[in-house]
């Protein structure tokens, strides 16, 4: 019986520096990914992370929400590239557990003693999709909308498209209020 766990090392460029992000999750072909799609690193997350690194100015001082964050690569990338605030979400409790562990190990506070995550700029919260869930999420988070909403590898079934779009429409900051 082989170990289903896997670590994914990913390097991100922050200006002229490089930071290695180590994500802990499960192998794509493990039984764990049958139970929760968010506990492995799929192909679109590294691609979106690369895009964000090529366009870091779009994140500067922005409020960023990541839906279906899974292991958290894109949200952690946004955090390191200078987003004002990153809220990483997933609907699955198994994915949330892995995501929180990855944030704790990859987002140490630069101003703290090195042992604490800077929770003022990056947090993990559960979010189920759909208008009612999104409205409740807004109520619980001070009615603050987001400047940017990220999502990579989040559509697996046709039935999830409408709830996802409803969630984005509810949570995205609209021009001029």
């Amino acid at each position: 019986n082989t170990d289903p766990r896997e670590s994914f090392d990913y390097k991100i460029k922050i200006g002229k520096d490089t930071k290695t992000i180590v994500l802990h999750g499960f192998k794509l072909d493990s039984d764990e990914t049958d139970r929760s799609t968010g506990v492995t690193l799929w192909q679109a997350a590294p691609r979106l992370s690369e895009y964000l690194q090529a366009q870091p100015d779009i994140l500067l001082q922005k409020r960023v929400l990541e839906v279906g964050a899974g292991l958290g690569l894109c949200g952690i990338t946004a955090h390191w590239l200078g987003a004002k605030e990153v809220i990483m979400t997933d609907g699955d409790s198994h994915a949330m557990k892995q995501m929180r562990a990855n944030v704790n190990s990859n987002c140490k506070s630069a101003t703290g003693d090195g042992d604490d995550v800077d929770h003022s700029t990056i947090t993990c919260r559960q979010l189920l999709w759909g208008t009612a869930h999104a409205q409740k999420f807004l109520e619980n988070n001070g009615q603050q909308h987001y400047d940017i909403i990220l999502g990579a590898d989040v559509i697996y079934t046709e039935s999830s498209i409408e709830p996802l779009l409803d969630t984005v429409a509810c949570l995205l900051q609209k021009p001029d209020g």
Side-chain angles (χ1 to χ4, degrees), residues 161-176:
I161 295 171
E162 186 174 344
L164 172 61
L165 295 178
D166 290 344
T167 299
V168 169
C170 184
L171 299 177
L172 190 61
Q173 179 68 43
K174 285 122 183 114
D176 303 315

Side-chain angles (χ1 to χ4, degrees), residues 40-104:
T40 194
L41 189 64
W42 296 89
Q43 293 181 12
R47 300 304 150 311
L48 180 53
S49 179
E50 289 167 10
Y51 174 80
L52 295 172
Q53 292 170 67
Q55 310 289 328
D57 291 349
I58 66 171
L59 297 167
L60 286 177
Q61 294 305 305
K62 300 291 187 189
R63 296 188 75 244
V64 177
L65 177 78
E66 183 180 8
V67 295
L71 297 181
L73 176 61
C74 297
I76 292 170
T77 299
H79 166 76
W80 282 109
L81 291 176
K84 177 181 176 181
E85 177 184 16
V86 178
I87 308 291
M88 296 168 41
T89 67
D90 207 289
D92 182 80
S93 57
H94 298 306
M96 291 296 302
K97 180 180 176 184
Q98 291 298 136
M99 180 197 314
R100 284 187 177 109
N102 287 328
V103 167
N104 285 333

